[in-house]
Amino acid sequence: MQKIILFILFEIFSLCMFAQRTAPVSTLTPPITISPNIIDELFKGQHFNSNYDATINGTPFMFGDWKNGQVITDNGNKFFVSKINFDASRSVFVFLKNDSLYDVDEKINEIIIYKNDQNENKESNMVFQKNILPDLKNFIQVLVQGNITIVRKFNKQVEGENYTNGIVTNKKEYVLHFEDYAIVNNKLVSFNYNNNGLNDLVTDKSSAINSYVKLNNLKLKKQSDFLKSIEYYNSLN
C-alpha cells in the first residue's frame, strides 16, 4: 500500500514539474497548446499556429532562444515582456505564455529586445518599429532614427532541397537574410556602406560630414562607422 501511495505522489510531482517547463525555440513543434489568451488586454495578442515541418531544418524565428524585452503600445504605454521572439518569415513578433504562442497584438508599435537582462538604456538593444511608412506596416529594425533613418528588413526563407544519393544528404533549411535601407523625406532609399553611399544621403551637408569622417578616421565600409556619420548628420541643425 505504501508503495502505491509513493508511486501516485511521484507521478503527480512529475506532472507538476513538466507543466512548469518552458518550451525552447528548438522544440516549437506540435504539440504546442493554443489556449485562450490570458495576456493583459492592453497588449493582448492573437493565437499563433506553429506550422512545423519536420523536413526543414531550423525555425522561422530570428533568435535561437527566447528574449526579454519591452513593448510599447500606440498610446505610449510600456510593458516588460519575457519570452519573445521575431518570426522573420512573417515579420511579426510572437511571445510565449504558459506554453502557448501568440502573435503580438496590432496595438503594439514598438518593441525593444534586450541584449541581456532588462536594460532599456543599452545601445546594443535591438529596436523594432512598424508603420514607419505607409508601405512599411510590418516590424523592421531601426538602426538610426532622425532626419535620415536607417532601417533593416529581415526575411527568413526556406532554401535548398531534400535530397540524398546514399552518400550525400541535403535538407531544406531556414536561411536568414536582411537588407538595410535609408528613409529620407518619407521615402525608402537603397544605399551602400561606403563613401559614395554616404554622400548620396547627405548631399545638403556633405562638406560637414566629410570633415567629421576624416577627423574621426571613420571607415565607411564598416557599418558602425557609417551609422556614426548618419547620427552626426542628424545632430546638425
Side-chain angles (χ1 to χ4, degrees):
M1 186 64 179
Q2 290 180 340
K3 290 183 177 179
I4 295 175
I5 294 174
L6 288 173
F7 176 77
I8 293 173
L9 290 173
F10 176 79
E11 289 296 312
I12 294 174
F13 175 79
S14 298
L15 288 172
C16 291
M17 290 298 291
F18 178 78
Q20 294 175 0
R21 294 177 183 172
T22 299
V25 171
S26 60
T27 60
L28 293 182
T29 65
I32 288 290
T33 304
I34 303 300
S35 62
N37 198 339
I38 61 174
I39 303 299
D40 189 287
E41 290 293 329
L42 287 173
F43 57 102
K44 182 171 68 175
Q46 301 299 315
H47 293 152
F48 167 73
N49 294 308
S50 177
N51 297 320
Y52 174 73
D53 188 340
T55 66
I56 304 173
N57 283 332
T59 75
F61 298 108
M62 178 184 295
F63 306 112
D65 55 357
W66 296 100
K67 299 295 184 180
N68 294 333
Q70 182 184 92
V71 298
I72 303 172
T73 65
D74 52 11
N75 60 7
N77 290 322
K78 300 179 180 181
F79 301 90
F80 173 77
V81 176
S82 61
K83 300 180 179 66
I84 192 168
N85 213 320
F86 185 63
D87 183 342
S89 68
R90 299 184 297 138
S91 297
V92 298
F93 278 91
V94 298
F95 58 91
L96 184 67
K97 182 73 172 182
N98 293 342
D99 293 331
S100 296
L101 286 171
Y102 303 91
D103 280 347
V104 166
D105 189 77
E106 293 180 356
K107 299 183 184 71
I108 306 300
N109 280 333
E110 183 173 344
I111 293 178
I112 300 173
I113 299 297
Y114 298 140
K115 181 180 180 182
N116 298 310
D117 294 330
Q118 183 174 354
N119 188 340
E120 59 185 279
N121 295 318
K122 282 196 172 182
E123 293 182 0
S124 56
N125 292 339
M126 299 179 71
V127 177
F128 291 81
Q129 294 180 0
K130 67 177 184 180
N131 298 321
I132 292 181
L133 292 176
D135 58 346
L136 286 179
K137 298 184 181 300
N138 293 327
F139 280 102
I140 57 176
Q141 186 184 4
V142 179
L143 302 176
V144 172
Q145 195 160 25
N147 291 329
I148 296 178
T149 295
I150 306 297
V151 298
R152 176 167 291 175
K153 297 174 67 174
F154 290 97
N155 184 25
K156 204 167 187 181
Q157 303 172 340
V158 176
E159 298 182 3
E161 295 292 336
N162 293 330
Y163 166 80
T164 182
N165 60 7
I167 300 175
V168 177
T169 299
N170 294 322
K171 196 171 184 179
K172 293 180 181 178
E173 63 178 349
Y174 281 100
V175 179
L176 182 65
H177 301 273
F178 67 85
E179 290 183 290
D180 292 355
Y181 296 90
I183 298 177
V184 184
N185 296 325
N186 292 321
K187 294 182 180 179
L188 202 64
V189 179
S190 299
F191 71 94
N192 295 315
Y193 282 103
N194 55 35
N195 186 66
N196 290 334
L198 180 64
N199 285 329
D200 288 342
L201 296 176
V202 301
T203 53
D204 57 327
K205 296 183 177 70
S206 58
S207 178
I209 300 303
N210 288 331
S211 296
Y212 175 81
V213 169
K214 292 178 181 179
L215 180 63
N216 292 277
N217 195 29
L218 299 182
K219 309 299 181 185
L220 296 179
K221 290 186 177 180
K222 185 178 178 182
Q223 177 189 305
S224 59
D225 284 357
F226 189 99
L227 296 181
K228 285 179 182 177
S229 302
I230 298 296
E231 288 175 339
Y232 178 71
Y233 172 91
N234 289 336
S235 72
L236 299 176
N237 294 325

